[in-house]
Every structure is written in C-alpha cells, then in structure tokens.
C-alpha cells in the first residue's frame, strides 16, 4: 500500500468539514433539531439544492439523522447523531479562536 492509499482521519475530516455550509449546518443543529426550511433560514444564504445535497451527504455519513413524519404534506426534521454532537468541541474551538484572533468587521 503506498502513501496515497492510506487513510488519514485528519485529511478525511477536513475534506468533509471544509465543504461549504457543512459547519454552518452542524452549528445550527447543535442549537436544536430543525426542519429543512427552518435550517435554511438559520444558516442563511445557502440555496435549496446545495442544502439538500449537504444534508444528504451528512445523513449518509451518519453525522445527522433525517426524520420524516407521515403527515400531509410530509415534514422533515434533521438532528445530530452522536457523531454530529461530537463535533460540538470543534465548533466551540473555532468560535474561541475567532473571538480571540479575528476582529469584528466595521
């Protein structure tokens, strides 16, 4: 096995978390489970197709869960799994770093 074929968890995690909107989705779901439209409003600026794509990927990876109720029209609710909640420390570390080293615009 050469170096390119070996799994690196740091590389894999960065590849996932650097996808645009992924950390915004996780941050919003750390606050509370949300429906699709509520999540879109909470993160702001993400188009519906991109949000749906990111949510689908995060569900596939086991970071979030999708619950669909049987009401008409069907309602979808997203929440973090154990793996998703484990990212809370990452989000808090980013926040602490930003508060310490980044200036408020304006």
């Amino acid at each position: 096995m050469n170096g390119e074929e070996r799994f690196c968890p740091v590389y894999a995690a960065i590849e996932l978390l650097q996808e645009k909107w992924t950390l915004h989705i996780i941050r919003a779901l750390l606050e509370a489970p949300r429906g699709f439209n509520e999540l879109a409003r909470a993160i702001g600026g993400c188009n519906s197709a991109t949000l749906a794509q990111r949510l689908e990927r995060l569900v596939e990876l086991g970071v979030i869960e999708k619950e669909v109720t049987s009401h008409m029209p069907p309602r979808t609710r997203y929440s973090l799994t154990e793996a998703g909640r484990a990212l809370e420390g990452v989000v808090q570390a980013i926040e602490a770093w930003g508060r310490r080293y980044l200036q408020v615009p304006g």
Side-chain angles (χ1 to χ4, degrees), residues 60-71:
E60 287 173 4
L61 292 171
V63 176
I64 63 173
E65 321 183 280
K66 176 182 177 180
E67 178 187 353
V68 181
T69 59
S70 58
H71 300 96

Side-chain angles (χ1 to χ4, degrees), residues 8-30 54 57-59 61-64 80-94:
C8 175
V10 174
Y11 182 87
I14 289 171
E15 283 296 298
L16 170 65
L17 297 176
Q18 77 173 349
E19 290 180 1
K20 190 165 186 179
W21 303 111
T22 296
L23 278 171
H24 295 284
I25 292 166
I26 292 165
R27 183 181 52 83
L29 292 177
L30 281 167
R54 293 300 182 272
R57 175 148 164 75
L58 291 168
V59 167
L61 292 171
V63 176
I64 63 173
L80 294 171
T81 63
E82 181 182 344
R85 287 188 303 275
L87 289 166
E88 184 170 13
V90 173
V91 172
Q92 288 174 343
I94 292 169

Side-chain angles (χ1 to χ4, degrees), residues 1-15:
M1 179 183 294
N2 68 35
E4 291 179 0
E5 293 174 345
R6 279 187 277 160
F7 175 74
C8 175
V10 174
Y11 182 87
I14 289 171
E15 283 296 298

